[in-house]
Amino acid sequence: MARLGDCIAMMDEGIGRVSQVIPDMPAAEARLTRLLLMVGHTFDEAVEQALRPNKINHSDFLTLMILYSRPDGSSTPGELCEYTSQGATNMTRIANALVKRGLITRGASEEDRRRVVIRITPSGRRFVQKLLPPLFPRVSAAFAGFSDADKRHFSRLLRKLADNLDHLDESPSPVKKQP
Amino acid sequence: MARLGDCIAMMDEGIGRVSQVIPDMPAAEARLTRLLLMVGHTFDEAVEQALRPNKINHSDFLTLMILYSRPDGSSTPGELCEYTSQGATNMTRIANALVKRGLITRGASEEDRRRVVIRITPSGRRFVQKLLPPLFPRVSAAFAGFSDADKRHFSRLLRKLADNLDHLDESPSPVKKQP
DNA sequence: CTAATTTAATTCACTGGTGAAATATGAGTT
DNA sequence: AACTCATATTTCACCAGTGAATTAAATTAG
């Protein structure tokens, strides 16, 4: 597989050429978008690869981590869908897989019988505690050479992007409401 | 679907709680990793959504864009795999789809008859030229509020991350080779 | 020159994820 | 209470992407 640096160099040149043919393209923003997508995708792959020895995939792991991080260790499919950005369909599959491995339990809710309550098991907690520490060195290595200021800036810029994305579809011309 | 800002808030709290149980976790880096993955994923979705009216998906579009950006408008499946981070299997499917729509042609290479030469067609070029401009406002909007310095910093940090990722698996302890 | 190895692309079987429809419960209205 | 309407989850059919095996051509070794 090509190194990411080579892909980026190639993308830089490509956008340079395209922006000569189509001059009103926002080339700087297009570069940043491609850059973000490429780095994000590679990060994703790296996580998937790090999890593979544990025979768990990223979305199953993320779901389990959310349960682990909850004070009461429980949630519902609907809520997990929201926070994992997964569709309900896929959450059913994820829950099936985690139940089969004994990492979570699935039970009916008392208050609202449409709801299903998902809860991490002791075995699930042990699994997380065993799985996490080996990931730490790679997580740290990914940000090697980042100063504290770099980390703050990066965090700020990503959060700003998130905010922009949240408002992308509302008010294409955000004229202030007339009072 | 939950707003990204809510997912981020929830992630922040979750990592806070987990890092109390597992104190040697690199919490700042874990936060940045999750942030990057979440924003990257949402960007991906936004692109996919913007492309949907044109009945083309992200990887098919990316492949076509690479061809479009080439001076000679041609490449090979192997090369496209490298630069799109797609497997060869999937590139076969992508090429099939684009050929069927008449956006590219597929022919045998003269020099190396194992190779297949893929070339964008005039119709493919028109398709790209028609498709791109409507994307520009959203691309710009995603980076609303980014100063030029912000963009430079963001670019620098992403490229640094890319470089780190390229070296993640080589030399976990980068001791200089003994001469 | 022939045999063994490597490289490029494809095919096949499978995993992961999505949209639309089905099922079941809860909530609001008259 | 009976009738909508909305919500939560699951099922079904399909699209997208991957690893292993296959085919064919080029390269290297003997």
Side-chain angles (χ1 to χ4, degrees):
Chain A
M1 188 183 21
R3 280 165 56 236
L4 186 49
D6 299 336
C7 296
I8 291 174
M10 183 283 195
M11 175 276 288
D12 270 328
E13 289 176 30
I15 290 190
R17 280 190 294 267
V18 171
S19 71
Q20 295 208 330
V21 181
I22 307 177
D24 57 329
M25 175 170 72
E29 287 80 1
R31 276 205 178 81
L32 290 177
T33 300
R34 286 295 310 146
L35 207 46
L36 177 60
L37 289 173
M38 291 164 99
V39 172
H41 183 254
T42 306
F43 246 88
D44 238 320
E45 272 185 344
V47 171
E48 209 82 51
Q49 183 190 327
L51 292 175
R52 200 159 304 145
N54 301 100
K55 314 257 194 225
I56 191 167
N57 68 31
H58 195 168
S59 52
D60 293 16
F61 171 68
L62 179 55
T63 303
L64 192 62
M65 279 309 300
I66 291 177
L67 291 168
Y68 183 86
S69 76
R70 286 300 177 85
D72 61 354
S74 76
S75 184
T76 66
E79 196 183 19
L80 291 168
C81 283
E82 293 211 319
Y83 290 129
T84 58
S85 312
Q86 298 290 327
T89 304
N90 201 33
M91 192 50 67
T92 298
R93 182 193 61 72
I94 292 170
N96 286 341
L98 295 176
V99 166
K100 196 192 297 195
R101 291 177 68 168
L103 303 176
I104 64 169
T105 58
R106 204 168 10 185
S109 166
E110 297 290 322
E111 317 94 49
D112 183 341
R113 294 196 313 178
R114 290 170 302 183
R115 283 207 161 104
V116 167
V117 174
I118 287 177
R119 191 178 305 275
I120 190 169
T121 62
S123 168
R125 288 193 185 277
R126 283 195 300 273
F127 181 73
V128 169
Q129 280 157 7
K130 181 152 170 292
L131 190 149
L132 282 187
L135 301 180
F136 297 162
R138 310 196 108 226
V139 172
S140 300
F143 291 93
F146 273 58
S147 68
D148 284 358
D150 285 341
K151 290 177 195 168
R152 277 198 307 278
H153 285 139
F154 195 52
S155 176
R156 179 177 66 81
L157 294 170
L158 285 172
R159 285 167 200 270
K160 186 150 192 55
L161 272 180
D163 197 52
N164 287 346
L165 290 172
D166 275 337
H167 300 107
L168 253 197
D169 291 306
E170 65 194 39
S171 64
S173 70
V175 178
K176 281 228 176 67
K177 275 204 282 250
Q178 301 303 334
Chain B
M1 190 183 19
R3 280 165 57 235
L4 185 50
D6 298 336
C7 295
I8 291 174
M10 183 281 199
M11 176 277 288
D12 270 327
E13 290 175 29
I15 291 191
R17 280 190 294 267
V18 171
S19 71
Q20 295 208 328
V21 180
I22 306 178
D24 56 330
M25 175 170 73
E29 287 80 2
R31 276 204 179 81
L32 291 177
T33 299
R34 286 295 310 144
L35 254 184
L36 176 60
L37 290 173
M38 291 164 99
V39 172
H41 184 253
T42 306
F43 245 88
D44 238 319
E45 271 184 344
V47 171
E48 209 83 50
Q49 184 190 325
L51 293 175
R52 199 160 303 145
N54 302 99
K55 313 257 194 223
I56 192 167
N57 67 32
H58 195 170
S59 53
D60 293 16
F61 170 68
L62 179 54
T63 303
L64 191 62
M65 280 308 301
I66 291 178
L67 291 169
Y68 183 86
S69 76
R70 286 299 176 86
D72 62 353
S74 77
S75 183
T76 65
E79 195 183 18
L80 291 168
C81 282
E82 292 211 318
Y83 290 128
T84 59
S85 313
Q86 298 289 329
T89 304
N90 201 34
M91 191 50 65
T92 298
R93 181 193 62 71
I94 292 170
N96 286 340
L98 295 177
V99 166
K100 197 192 298 195
R101 291 177 69 167
L103 303 176
I104 64 169
T105 58
R106 204 173 2 190
S109 165
E110 298 290 324
E111 317 96 47
D112 184 340
R113 295 196 311 177
R114 290 169 303 183
R115 283 208 159 98
V116 165
V117 174
I118 288 176
R119 191 177 305 276
I120 190 169
T121 63
S123 168
R125 287 192 185 277
R126 283 195 300 275
F127 181 74
V128 169
Q129 280 157 9
K130 181 153 172 291
L131 190 150
L132 282 187
L135 301 180
F136 297 163
R138 310 196 108 226
V139 172
S140 300
F143 292 93
F146 274 57
S147 69
D148 285 358
D150 284 342
K151 290 176 194 168
R152 277 198 307 277
H153 286 139
F154 196 52
S155 177
R156 179 178 65 81
L157 294 170
L158 285 173
R159 285 167 201 270
K160 184 150 195 53
L161 272 180
D163 196 51
N164 287 347
L165 290 172
D166 274 338
H167 300 109
L168 253 197
D169 290 306
E170 65 194 38
S171 65
S173 71
V175 177
K176 283 225 174 69
K177 274 202 284 252
Q178 301 303 335

